[in-house]
Amino acid sequence: VCIHRVRSCSNIRFIKSKHVCVLDKSALKFSHQQRLFRTSAVSCGQIVQFKLSDIGEGITEVTVKEWYIKEGDSVSQFDSICEVQSDKASVTITSRYDGVIRKLHYSIDDIAFVGKPLVDIEIDASKGVASEEDVVETPPMSHDEHTHQEIKGHKTLATPAVRRLAMENNIKLSEVVGTGKDNRILKEDILNYLAKQTGAILPPSPKAEIIPPLPKSETLPAAPKDKARKIPLPVSRPIVFSGKDKTEPVTGFQKAMVKTMSAALKIPHFGYCDEIDLTQLVQLREELKPLAEIRGVKLSFMPFFIKAASLGLLQYPILNASLDENCQNVTYKASHNIGVAMDTGQGLIVPNVKNVQVCSVFEIAAELNRLQSLGSAGQLGTSDLTGGTFTLSNIGTIGGTYAKPVILPPEVAIGALGKIQVLPRFNGKGEVFQAQIMNVSWSADHRIIDGATMARFSNLWKSYLENPASMLLDLK
Amino acid sequence: MVLQPSLKNCLWLSCVLRTPKAGFRSTASGALVIQSVSNDVYQNLAVEDWIHDHMDLEKQQVLFLWRNSPAVVIGRHQNPWQECNLRLLRQKNIKLARRRSGGGTVYHDLGNINLTFFTTKKRYERMENLKLVVKALKALRPQLDMHVTDRYDILLDRHYKISGTAAKLGRTSAYHHCTLLCNADKFVLSSVLKSPYKGLKSNATPSVPASVKNLFEEDPSLTSEMLLDAIAKEYAMHHHTDHHITLINPADETLLPGINNKTKELQTWEWVYGKTPKFSVSTCLNIVYKDSILDVKVNMDVKHGRIEVCNIDLPEQWLPPALYSKLVKSLTGSKFCPNETTTLAATLLRVCPQDDELHSRWNLLCENMIMLM
């Protein structure tokens, strides 16, 4: 029993989750006293030099290209150790033993020789002899993964990997029903046995054997459905969750977001929201869409929103300004470079349409098409992504109504557009009609923009969109 | 003749493919010929992985036939920057894939056919496979002068390469795959396989360029379908089995459980670019600014596809030192990727003084840096 515990402890310590290990707490307690147990109960493991085996075709030397393990790592039989290359063939070398890697005989790009030592592995004394007998020393069986083993005279068919999994979970192989050929016990049989015992959700192991996906009904807990109806009963069986937290560094797009948002935090934001009746615009777009298509351009609502914003900025240029770092000077930008927030596979990017003040709605649409296709291909250039003065974010394409957008420095304002919904509204005659309603949420820098300015800009923008014909009066 | 699979064949194949390594209960004889219905390079590479990992090849060998829509496929230990024109690939929407076998870089399109010979490690024998291919082609068109070199290439007229080979060996299984140029676009091939990136130093496996020719040029009556069929027939004859090609769908999770995960993994940036062996970039940017040309020395170390070390030798004060150090710090640890660098550069610009001159210098420098990626 002592030896059992120590062995399973050594597997816990070097965590390489290739197998599902359901541990009971008592095993963990022993890990602190591991050294004590090792020296008293187990003699030093035997160090074996694992030689590079014959690769075939008379090849005598290969180049080491990648190590999958490092010194000190624990390996199991059949785990990948390294990748070597010889004359257009890439070979995965797998371990013959269970144990701990003690020495790597080569570095990357070194030439390794067939028949010479590749790594030194310290084999667990308790297991050492057994694993060699099972697979290595009996050539006829070395190519057959399923070895016939005898335990106490009772012939149980299972691979060494399956045996180990059973041993680690204190399962008697004789109690498990084998579903493989000749009643062979497969890994899924052990997993099924465990699932029945603990009711746990077991993640599938990325090993060579095929594990058909466990039917969902077995593994999903029933609690969520019942929650609404009754108080969940305390669970009597121990629930074990073997998932692990995953930590990754913040890089690339996320890093960019962190920088932008940290800077944005310094801006005192205020919000202003409103509702726009787009009924007339929807109709207008329907009429204009085919015309644009003939010219090879997809026409969405954004070009109208963008142009209307630019017309509004002509009247309220402070919304197209920039405040310097010391808040000493306000620069009124001459160009209306209106940014459009885009969601790509990797994250949020904001390319901008340059000089909207001199562009027609059609030209804006064409430019948006170009930016969108470049954006989805990940090919936007620096000039597309810099120089923006004002931003619109059409979050409504994904969903939502009101939002609280964050201003992108060095800009001073931003608008978030919700989705267009068909809602009942009253017309001038007091009748209810179907209106196409969209919500807009503006945020502005309260250091230089006051509520009244934002409200007036919003009203102007709204009037252009609710009555598109009025845009004609002010188009330059 | 390629036979369409009947439902019975599908079920039979399903049994054949799903049975674990214990062996087959079916009446299958020594060999199986399967053909992919997909032209997606990642899906097809995933099928190779699946067969390699899950099928017992002891009693039955497999020949897998596949074709891809335009893609560049690099070997396991190669450097894509060194091997092809990544800019051109992105522009032309040509996919980039890294296979698990060794060897060099190839261009695939529908005019190229791929053959994968799956055997146990014991029965791995590349020369035998290639001789089979040549035999099949000769039976089809006896006038073709074809010859297998000791580098496992197939040459036409002793000069033009029409097929390249690569292989993967695992613990118990192995596969040997090769290409065969029937009617590929040689113009695109030569332009994408030419790397414009200078100053790269790496120990990645280099490709050996060769003059290529399409079989179609020798005999315009040949088609990819005819070649596939001839090879399948020869293979079947060699293994004393019926000439029957079973079609498989690489997206079928029931037939090939776990295949979609394999396909996804092959498409990740971490696999395609991140598996590049460590390399360094040492070059000089010639930045045209106003009326002068600036020589800017750049030195970068790239490991796992990410910039580990970054040195840019700018003239003093060309950029404010604080901004310059922010740039270098941001680049360190980020992917050696134009998209990522563009985003970082654009973002950093937001939080620095709003000066047009500064902006144009910044954008100029970043655009030149991005040209290296």
Side-chain angles (χ1 to χ4, degrees):
Chain A
V1 167
C2 286
I3 296 172
H4 262 260
R5 285 276 179 250
V6 169
R7 229 194 39 75
S8 50
C9 283
S10 63
N11 279 337
I12 305 164
R13 210 160 73 98
F14 308 101
I15 297 168
K16 259 199 163 309
S17 56
K18 300 226 159 133
H19 300 292
V20 170
C21 290
V22 177
L23 311 163
D24 43 274
K25 297 222 171 75
S26 53
L28 285 169
K29 271 194 227 148
F30 281 111
S31 66
H32 296 297
Q33 306 153 41
Q34 185 182 336
R35 285 214 184 91
L36 224 66
F37 271 86
R38 286 207 87 169
T39 48
S40 58
V42 180
S43 56
C44 277
Q46 177 197 355
I47 293 190
V48 170
Q49 286 195 324
F50 174 41
K51 299 194 179 72
L52 180 61
S53 53
D54 183 32
I55 290 176
E57 289 185 337
I59 292 166
T60 52
E61 49 185 60
V62 296
T63 313
V64 177
K65 282 296 188 180
E66 190 176 332
W67 284 109
Y68 293 123
I69 41 83
K70 53 187 190 303
E71 288 172 11
D73 281 352
S74 172
V75 286
S76 313
Q77 194 183 47
F78 308 146
D79 281 355
S80 298
I81 289 209
C82 64
E83 197 75 22
V84 301
Q85 184 168 257
S86 155
D87 189 28
K88 307 185 190 185
S90 189
V91 190
T92 308
I93 306 293
T94 55
S95 177
R96 211 180 282 150
Y97 310 104
D98 291 334
V100 177
I101 304 286
R102 285 298 171 213
K103 185 175 174 178
L104 304 183
H105 285 262
Y106 300 102
S107 317
I108 302 281
D109 290 330
D110 279 350
I111 311 271
F113 297 92
V114 172
K116 295 266 159 55
L118 185 67
V119 293
D120 289 349
I121 302 181
E122 183 183 323
I123 298 179
D124 299 334
S126 57
K127 194 96 192 325
V129 179
S131 56
E132 279 189 51
E133 261 178 18
D134 288 345
V135 183
V136 173
E137 307 302 341
T138 51
M141 294 208 276
S142 62
H143 291 281
D144 185 354
E145 195 184 3
H146 295 259
T147 55
H148 292 49
Q149 296 179 3
E150 297 194 66
I151 296 179
K152 293 175 190 157
H154 169 67
K155 208 173 186 180
T156 326
L157 302 176
T159 65
V162 171
R163 280 177 192 286
R164 183 178 35 256
L165 185 60
M167 199 157 26
E168 280 165 350
N169 294 291
N170 290 320
I171 294 171
K172 288 207 184 87
L173 280 177
S174 48
E175 287 175 18
V176 181
V177 176
T179 61
K181 184 185 175 189
D182 298 332
N183 293 323
R184 206 177 295 265
I185 297 171
L186 305 173
K187 187 176 279 175
E188 56 195 291
D189 298 325
I190 304 280
L191 293 177
N192 283 333
Y193 183 89
L194 278 171
K196 287 192 196 108
Q197 300 278 289
T198 64
I201 302 167
L202 302 166
S205 155
K207 257 282 211 165
E209 291 171 43
I210 305 166
I211 302 172
L214 296 169
K216 292 244 161 80
S217 52
E218 272 183 34
T219 53
L220 278 175
K225 282 189 210 153
D226 299 335
K227 234 191 213 168
R229 281 184 267 149
K230 59 180 186 217
I231 304 160
L233 296 165
V235 183
S236 52
R237 316 171 292 190
I239 293 181
V240 181
F241 175 61
S242 52
K244 280 210 290 267
D245 291 346
K246 189 169 108 164
T247 307
E248 330 176 295
V250 174
T251 58
F253 276 79
Q254 278 183 328
K255 209 173 182 179
M257 279 283 268
V258 168
K259 284 194 200 297
T260 314
M261 293 307 144
S262 302
L265 193 66
K266 298 185 192 136
I267 305 173
H269 284 53
F270 78 91
Y272 178 86
C273 304
D274 205 353
E275 175 185 288
I276 323 283
D277 183 348
L278 293 180
T279 312
Q280 286 188 31
L281 185 64
V282 168
Q283 208 178 343
L284 178 65
R285 180 180 160 256
E286 280 310 300
E287 291 168 18
L288 294 176
K289 228 169 76 172
L291 290 175
E293 260 176 63
I294 292 170
R295 296 193 210 170
V297 167
K298 239 176 89 176
L299 185 68
S300 62
F301 286 105
M302 278 311 276
F304 297 101
F305 298 152
I306 291 171
K307 189 60 184 171
S310 173
L311 293 176
L313 291 173
L314 286 173
Q315 304 302 321
Y316 300 98
I318 191 145
L319 290 161
N320 197 54
S322 187
L323 189 59
D324 72 7
E325 258 176 59
N326 306 318
C327 306
Q328 298 279 338
N329 295 299
V330 179
T331 309
Y332 294 84
K333 300 279 179 178
S335 304
H336 299 171
N337 298 335
I338 300 187
V340 178
M342 251 179 226
D343 176 44
T344 64
Q346 294 137 307
L348 174 75
I349 46 164
V350 191
N352 56 85
V353 179
K354 300 276 193 289
N355 292 308
V356 177
Q357 75 278 8
V358 297
C359 290
S360 65
V361 171
F362 177 77
E363 284 165 346
I364 298 168
E367 179 64 3
L368 270 183
N369 280 183
R370 184 189 76 90
L371 291 172
Q372 261 148 2
S373 58
L374 284 179
S376 41
Q379 287 176 33
L380 285 167
T382 40
S383 55
D384 293 326
L385 292 174
T386 56
T389 58
F390 184 87
T391 300
L392 287 177
S393 173
N394 194 1
I395 195 72
T397 50
I398 299 172
T401 48
Y402 291 103
K404 212 176 155 213
V406 177
I407 301 168
L408 299 168
E411 298 167 23
V412 294
I414 183 169
L417 313 170
K419 67 177 185 287
I420 302 176
Q421 303 169 282
V422 178
L423 295 170
R425 289 288 180 269
F426 288 104
N427 64 12
K429 293 180 229 158
E431 294 160 340
V432 176
F433 74 102
Q434 274 185 338
Q436 305 271 6
I437 302 290
M438 180 185 77
N439 300 115
V440 62
S441 309
W442 302 105
S443 290
D445 185 338
H446 219 338
R447 295 172 295 184
I448 54 165
I449 300 173
D450 57 45
T453 309
M454 191 72 242
R456 289 193 189 107
F457 168 84
S458 181
N459 289 344
L460 182 57
W461 183 76
K462 173 173 158 151
S463 70
Y464 283 135
L465 295 171
E466 290 192 332
N467 187 8
S470 67
M471 279 171 72
L472 280 171
L473 277 180
D474 296 329
L475 284 172
K476 293 191 202 283
Chain B
M1 221 188 80
V2 174
L3 303 172
Q4 294 295 326
S6 61
L7 183 62
K8 180 163 161 257
N9 280 340
C10 275
L11 291 173
W12 165 78
L13 182 68
S14 170
C15 289
V16 152
L17 289 174
R18 287 186 76 183
T19 314
K21 288 198 179 191
F24 299 113
R25 301 184 199 95
S26 67
T27 56
S29 47
L32 178 66
V33 180
I34 56 179
Q35 183 170 345
S36 174
V37 301
S38 162
N39 293 328
D40 180 282
V41 63
Y42 305 112
Q43 284 187 334
N44 291 327
L45 287 172
V47 171
E48 284 190 321
D49 283 350
W50 194 96
I51 297 175
H52 182 70
D53 289 345
H54 295 306
M55 273 187 85
D56 182 346
L57 300 161
E58 192 72 49
K59 298 200 174 69
Q60 186 177 76
Q61 296 185 10
V62 178
L63 172 64
F64 176 43
L65 310 168
W66 42 299
R67 287 191 294 158
N68 298 318
S69 44
V72 168
V73 183
I74 60 175
R76 174 70 171 82
H77 309 289
Q78 290 200 296
N79 180 328
W81 288 275
Q82 225 173 22
E83 298 299 329
C84 56
N85 190 336
L86 292 173
R87 266 199 296 278
L88 192 58
L89 258 75
R90 289 178 199 122
Q91 269 172 36
K92 284 184 170 289
N93 222 4
I94 296 174
K95 297 184 188 169
L96 177 67
R98 179 188 295 270
R99 58 181 191 266
R100 293 191 193 269
S101 57
T105 302
V106 283
Y107 170 73
H108 289 188
D109 66 20
L110 291 173
N112 167 72
I113 62 178
N114 300 301
L115 316 162
T116 313
F117 297 85
F118 292 92
T119 59
T120 55
K121 206 154 135 182
K122 265 187 299 188
R123 296 214 201 94
Y124 165 71
E125 180 46 77
R126 291 181 283 185
M127 206 44 99
E128 191 181 293
N129 299 333
L130 292 172
K131 290 206 173 114
L132 190 151
V133 173
V134 170
K135 189 166 174 219
L137 296 179
K138 276 235 160 69
L140 195 63
R141 292 286 184 275
Q143 80 278 15
L144 292 173
D145 171 14
M146 286 171 304
H147 156 78
V148 183
T149 69
D150 53 11
R151 284 196 75 242
Y152 307 103
D153 292 339
I154 301 181
L155 297 182
L156 188 64
D157 301 331
R158 308 262 146 176
H159 181 63
Y160 297 105
K161 185 168 169 178
I162 56 167
S163 165
T165 270
K168 172 95 191 79
L169 289 93
R171 197 171 56 80
T172 55
S173 323
Y175 62 80
H176 158 221
H177 55 199
C178 58
T179 54
L180 191 60
L181 288 173
C182 173
N183 189 13
D185 188 332
K186 284 201 314 192
F187 179 69
V188 175
L189 187 153
S190 54
S191 55
V192 298
L193 294 183
K194 208 184 309 182
S195 166
Y197 303 105
K198 305 271 181 289
L200 295 175
K201 220 165 59 181
S202 101
N203 284 328
T205 315
S207 291
V208 176
S211 310
V212 296
K213 199 172 191 187
N214 283 308
L215 282 168
F216 183 75
E217 291 173 62
E218 283 285 301
D219 183 342
S221 68
L222 284 172
T223 63
S224 307
E225 289 78 14
M226 288 167 75
L227 293 173
L228 284 171
D229 195 60
I231 293 165
K233 193 149 82 184
E234 186 64 45
Y235 184 83
M237 248 173 25
H238 183 84
H239 287 96
H240 310 295
T241 184
D242 298 328
H243 173 37
H244 172 74
I245 303 177
T246 309
L247 298 179
I248 60 160
N249 176 6
D252 189 344
E253 190 78 22
T254 347
L255 189 68
L256 310 161
I259 187 102
N260 286 306
N261 275 339
K262 287 190 190 287
T263 308
K264 272 197 210 113
E265 203 205 318
L266 287 163
Q267 292 173 296
T268 60
W269 188 92
E270 281 68 32
W271 174 258
V272 179
Y273 295 96
K275 279 292 182 187
T276 307
K278 184 168 174 177
F279 68 99
S280 65
V281 180
S282 195
T283 184
C284 194
L285 303 173
N286 301 323
I287 302 184
V288 180
Y289 184 65
K290 292 197 171 159
D291 289 325
S292 56
I293 302 181
L294 287 159
D295 284 326
V296 180
K297 285 207 190 64
V298 174
N299 281 295
M300 288 189 282
D301 283 347
V302 182
K303 189 173 172 190
H304 301 313
R306 285 177 187 271
I307 301 171
E308 216 180 31
V309 171
C310 180
N311 284 311
I312 309 172
D313 208 358
L314 279 176
E316 236 182 274
Q317 299 298 325
W318 198 73
L319 280 182
L323 193 59
Y324 167 76
S325 80
K326 252 196 219 155
L327 175 65
V328 170
K329 245 175 89 183
S330 281
L331 286 174
T332 311
S334 87
K335 290 180 187 168
F336 189 63
C337 160
N339 197 22
E340 184 134 319
T341 308
T342 309
T343 313
L344 278 175
T347 308
L348 283 175
L349 206 56
R350 284 186 185 278
V351 295
C352 71
Q354 297 304 297
D355 176 334
D356 281 341
E357 165 105 8
L358 178 62
H359 276 223
S360 58
R361 288 185 187 194
W362 177 268
N363 280 344
L364 198 55
L365 174 64
C366 291
E367 268 154 24
N368 274 275
M369 288 293 288
I370 287 158
M371 288 297 277
L372 298 175
M373 309 177 186

